[in-house]
């Protein structure tokens, strides 16, 4: 088994996080959860990290919960899976959604169970053409979790959400893209180049305004139009105070590329 359940590469302007239990298709155990949480905390608090890329080592992205830790033969009573969600999966999804910088998911292979839904929690999902998304839960008598019952009906509608949840059939990366579940499917050998190019681009972007846009788009799921317009007004007021706004308009007028700092405001 790999020694470090999560690899963390700090690159200029962005960080790459790699789930690293390839022998188990990067299925989550407690150590991997804890390591991922720590790394994401660093990404959140480090202003030099302006974008995050999440991917998996080996041929899979993530196969969800490590089921070898759930062997009924090793248990005297049924585990409290609600507690596991509350302790590990739900905080992880909330952490990704609250990160005020872009999180790219490079789905390098199969994403099953919670692994699929953690990918969908990310802001921009790129998937290798050979990858697939599987709501594997019904195969073991469970309910989609890690936000699956939230993203699926919103992104692809109730009919397809129920189809995926009940059948647990794999959805190809191409279909996921054409259904609107993910941003894009790319050739396998291009995945890391394309994900890295996006991360580099976001690392040079107006980070603070990305964070505000993320907040607004996520709030839209539960706001009505009036609430959303009010929110846009407040966030635009904030964005309009930023150095990046000033730089963006100046650069446009001077017919040059902007040099964004990503900061909320200097000084
Ligand atoms: O429990 C809680 O805390 C509640 C939260 C639940 C969240 C969840 O995610 S529940 C859903 C759990 N995940 C699954 O049910 C998926 C199980 N895996 C699969 O169905 C298949 O492995 C895949 C469809 C993902 C991939 O199939 P395939 O044929 O490409 O690979 P494979 O041969 O099945 O797997 C390769 C190895 O990874 C294999 O080990 P081996 O035989 O080479 O030693 C397999 O056992 C291991 N592996 C794959 N998924 C898991 C796993 N080991 C432990 N847990 C896994 N989830």
């Amino acid at each position: 088994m790999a020694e470090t359940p999560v690899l963390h590469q700090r690159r200029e302007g962005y960080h790459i996080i790699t789930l690293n239990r390839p022998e188990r298709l990067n299925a989550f155990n407690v150590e991997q959860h804890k390591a991922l949480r720590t790394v994401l905390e660093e990404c959140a608090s480090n202003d030099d990290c302006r974008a995050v890329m999440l991917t998996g080592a080996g041929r899979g992205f993530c196969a969800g919960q490590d089921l070898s830790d759930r062997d009924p033969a090793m248990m005297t009573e049924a585990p409290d899976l609600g507690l596991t969600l509350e302790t590990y999966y739900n905080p992880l999804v909330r952490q990704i959604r609250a990160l005020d910088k872009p999180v790219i998911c490079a789905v390098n292979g199969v994403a099953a169970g919670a692994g699929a839904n953690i990918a969908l929690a990310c802001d921009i999902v790129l998937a290798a053409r050979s990858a697939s998304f599987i709501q594997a839960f019904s195969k073991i008598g469970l309910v989609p979790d890690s936000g699956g019952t939230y993203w699926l009906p919103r992104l692809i509608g109730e009919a397809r959400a129920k189809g995926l949840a009940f059948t647990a059939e794999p959805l190809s990366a191409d279909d996921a893209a054409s259904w609107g579940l993910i941003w894009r499917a790319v050739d396998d050998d291009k995945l890391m180049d394309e994900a890295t190019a996006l991360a580099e681009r976001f690392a040079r972007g107006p980070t603070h305004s990305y964070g505000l846009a993320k907040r607004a788009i996520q709030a839209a799921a539960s706001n009505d139009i009036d609430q959303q317009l009010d929110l846009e007004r407040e966030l635009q007021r904030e964005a309009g105070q930023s150095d990046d706004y000033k730089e963006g308009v100046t650069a446009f007028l001077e017919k040059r590329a902007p040099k964004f700092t990503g900061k909320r405001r200097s000084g």
Side-chain angles (χ1 to χ4, degrees):
M1 195 59 77
E3 279 175 21
T4 317
V6 170
L7 303 174
H8 186 185
Q9 285 174 266
R10 297 164 187 83
R11 298 216 177 149
E12 196 173 335
Y14 67 97
H15 292 192
I16 302 180
I17 302 171
T18 307
L19 303 176
N20 189 38
R21 305 184 70 233
E23 307 85 346
R24 298 264 163 91
L25 301 180
N26 306 315
F28 272 97
N29 63 3
V30 167
E31 287 69 35
Q32 185 168 277
H33 271 295
K34 288 183 174 168
L36 181 56
R37 183 178 301 185
T38 303
V39 168
L40 284 170
E41 279 167 1
E42 184 190 324
C43 294
S45 62
N46 182 347
D47 286 345
D48 294 333
C49 171
R50 293 168 63 183
V52 176
M53 188 209 298
L54 177 65
T55 191
R59 73 175 176 90
F61 169 68
C62 175
Q65 171 62 38
D66 187 327
L67 296 177
S68 56
D69 288 349
R70 295 286 180 271
D71 183 353
M74 306 298 286
M75 295 183 188
T76 50
E77 55 187 58
D80 179 353
L81 301 187
L83 185 62
T84 324
L85 296 193
E86 197 49 42
T87 310
Y88 297 111
Y89 290 97
N90 291 357
L92 169 58
V93 171
R94 292 190 174 111
Q95 210 179 6
I96 293 170
R97 300 282 284 181
L99 208 62
D100 57 0
K101 46 196 88 172
V103 182
I104 299 159
C105 190
V107 182
N108 52 300
V110 65
N117 294 334
I118 287 160
L120 299 179
C122 297
D123 302 315
I124 304 277
V125 186
L126 286 177
R129 286 228 152 71
S130 67
S132 58
F133 296 81
I134 310 177
Q135 296 294 321
F137 306 89
S138 64
K139 282 195 174 175
I140 54 168
L142 291 185
V143 177
D145 62 23
S146 304
T149 60
Y150 185 90
W151 336 116
L152 293 172
R154 282 172 173 78
L155 292 171
I156 59 175
E158 197 173 310
R160 284 172 161 168
K162 286 176 179 165
L164 292 181
F166 296 174
T167 67
E169 282 177 12
L171 183 71
S172 70
D174 277 322
D175 283 347
S178 69
W179 287 14
L181 191 64
I182 64 169
W183 171 239
R184 217 166 256 172
V186 299
D187 290 341
D188 286 25
D189 58 352
K190 300 270 171 25
L191 178 72
M192 289 317 284
D193 286 348
E194 296 219 9
T196 303
L198 262 187
E200 285 171 352
R201 175 171 155 188
F202 293 151
R204 292 190 301 270
T207 313
H208 183 55
S209 84
Y210 289 147
L212 298 179
K214 175 168 174 171
R215 205 194 307 168
I217 290 167
Q218 291 177 179
S222 54
N223 276 349
D224 64 26
I225 179 65
D226 285 322
Q227 291 167 319
Q228 196 65 16
L229 289 173
D230 287 348
L231 178 64
E232 288 178 0
R233 179 195 62 216
E234 292 313 309
L235 299 183
Q236 201 69 298
R237 180 171 284 146
E238 188 173 332
Q241 303 290 316
S242 68
D243 290 346
D244 282 344
Y245 168 64
K246 204 165 139 190
E247 166 62 7
V249 176
T250 305
F252 175 79
L253 296 175
E254 293 177 355
K255 300 190 186 303
R256 61 172 175 81
K259 288 192 184 124
F260 293 124
T261 65
K263 294 200 170 67
R264 188 189 178 97
R265 225 173 161 179
S266 65

